[in-house]
Amino acid sequence: MRYKDVLEVDVHSSYNIRSDRELMIGQQARDFMDSPRSKLCPEKIEEFYTNVKHLYKSAVKYIKERLSFFIWCLTSFSTTKVISRRIKERLPFKDPVLQHAEVVKTVKQTALFSSLHFFLKRFPVLIPEGTTRGEIEEEFADYQSTDITTCIDDRMDTTRGNIGPPVNEEGQLMFKVLPRVMVSLLCILHSSAHCERVFSLVRKNKTEFRSRLGQESLEALVVAKSRSGKAIERVYKQQDLKDYKSAYYRSLRANN
């Protein structure tokens, strides 16, 4: 599968199907199947895994059929070859952004600066003010030859943020700019889903009954509601509550 296009893989061939023990069924299901309390006979276990394979095959078939029908509706072409080509064109399998994004991985020895250069050239805003690409390239070279095993964390963004503390023999930070650039790469939106959620939140707050809601108030509402966690569970300091109350009264007096 590594050397084939995803859509060209025959999912119905037994050669491309994992063994029963390697199928992804979830940890809880795996523990239940292995535990004595399941009391499942071998025939039932075999039937279960057969249904799992059937589910995966049906899901892939459904996706391919839906994509084919969608492309057919857009292009009005019914030729299978044309539809297949259209699918490959619309799905981002070979998108250069995705291909170069591998530079953010923790495998730093195989990372290429050309990939990082791709992002710096495409998104100049990633370059911090007062910094040149040459300085970033120098830090990247030092990064590849420096042991950062103590900085590695389960979260990739934390790992990239942790590579800043190492210092050189003169007691200066070795990586001043590179961590900021790497974390910025992780902030690049991979889809429009987040933007759509913001638009939906704006529509829910600025309705026809609140048509005179000001831009500053709307922005404050969206920011407050976008914060993680439940609003009712948030804990505020007493001083913060006083500041909020004072700001509210000042706003009322200004409007009156």
Side-chain angles (χ1 to χ4, degrees):
M1 289 181 60
R2 295 183 59 184
Y3 306 102
K4 284 187 176 182
D5 192 287
V6 176
L7 297 178
E8 296 176 355
V9 177
D10 182 11
V11 297
H12 298 283
S13 172
S14 58
Y15 179 80
N16 294 325
I17 300 177
R18 293 183 174 186
S19 62
D20 292 348
R21 294 298 304 176
E22 297 299 325
L23 285 175
M24 296 182 63
I25 61 174
Q27 189 59 46
Q28 291 183 341
R30 179 76 63 191
D31 293 341
F32 176 76
M33 298 290 290
D34 295 338
S35 65
R37 62 186 179 88
S38 64
K39 298 181 180 179
L40 295 176
C41 61
E43 291 77 13
K44 286 294 183 181
I45 295 178
E46 183 179 357
E47 180 183 357
F48 169 77
Y49 284 115
T50 300
N51 291 332
V52 170
K53 295 175 185 177
H54 178 71
L55 172 63
Y56 277 126
K57 292 177 184 178
S58 301
V60 174
K61 181 181 178 182
Y62 175 82
I63 292 173
K64 287 186 176 182
E65 289 178 350
R66 288 293 177 178
L67 285 174
S68 300
F69 178 73
F70 174 70
I71 300 301
W72 179 81
C73 292
L74 292 179
T75 61
S76 298
F77 289 124
S78 58
T79 306
T80 306
K81 188 174 181 180
V82 174
I83 293 177
S84 178
R85 178 172 58 83
R86 292 289 183 177
I87 293 175
K88 296 176 184 177
E89 290 176 355
R90 295 178 184 275
L91 294 180
F93 293 133
K94 298 181 180 180
D95 190 286
V97 174
L98 297 179
Q99 293 177 346
H100 289 289
E102 292 190 0
V103 70
V104 190
K105 287 185 177 181
T106 55
V107 186
K108 61 189 181 68
Q109 289 80 6
T110 58
L112 302 175
F113 180 75
S114 58
S115 295
L116 187 60
H117 178 74
F118 167 83
F119 286 106
L120 296 178
K121 185 177 181 180
R122 183 162 180 171
F123 307 105
V125 71
L126 295 176
I127 304 177
E129 186 177 355
T131 306
T132 63
R133 295 181 186 176
E135 295 175 354
I136 298 176
E137 185 174 6
E138 291 179 3
E139 286 196 7
F140 186 80
D142 292 337
Y143 155 73
Q144 287 192 302
S145 58
T146 302
D147 183 12
I148 62 165
T149 53
T150 57
C151 304
I152 297 178
D153 188 81
D154 292 336
R155 290 176 56 95
M156 190 176 295
D157 55 345
T158 305
T159 298
R160 294 307 169 195
N162 288 343
I163 65 175
V167 296
N168 54 21
E169 297 177 355
E170 300 176 358
Q172 300 176 345
L173 290 176
M174 296 180 61
F175 311 116
K176 300 178 182 179
V177 183
L178 188 61
R180 296 172 57 185
V181 175
M182 288 293 195
V183 173
S184 298
L185 292 181
L186 296 175
C187 296
I188 297 177
L189 298 178
H190 62 278
S191 70
S192 61
H194 179 72
C195 300
E196 295 295 339
R197 283 194 292 268
V198 174
F199 295 151
S200 177
L201 187 58
V202 169
R203 288 194 296 268
K204 291 179 180 179
N205 284 274
K206 191 168 184 178
T207 63
E208 57 179 338
F209 300 105
R210 307 175 71 184
S211 58
R212 299 185 62 184
L213 187 65
Q215 182 175 347
E216 294 183 357
S217 300
L218 178 61
E219 179 183 356
L221 283 172
V222 172
V223 171
K225 293 185 177 182
S226 299
R227 292 176 57 187
S228 60
K230 298 180 180 179
I232 195 173
E233 297 177 354
R234 295 173 189 163
V235 179
Y236 297 93
K237 297 180 181 179
Q238 193 65 28
Q239 185 60 40
D240 293 337
L241 296 176
K242 290 182 180 180
D243 293 339
Y244 299 152
K245 189 175 181 179
S246 300
Y248 175 69
Y249 283 132
R250 287 198 300 269
S251 176
L252 288 178
R253 287 197 296 269
N255 292 333
N256 293 334

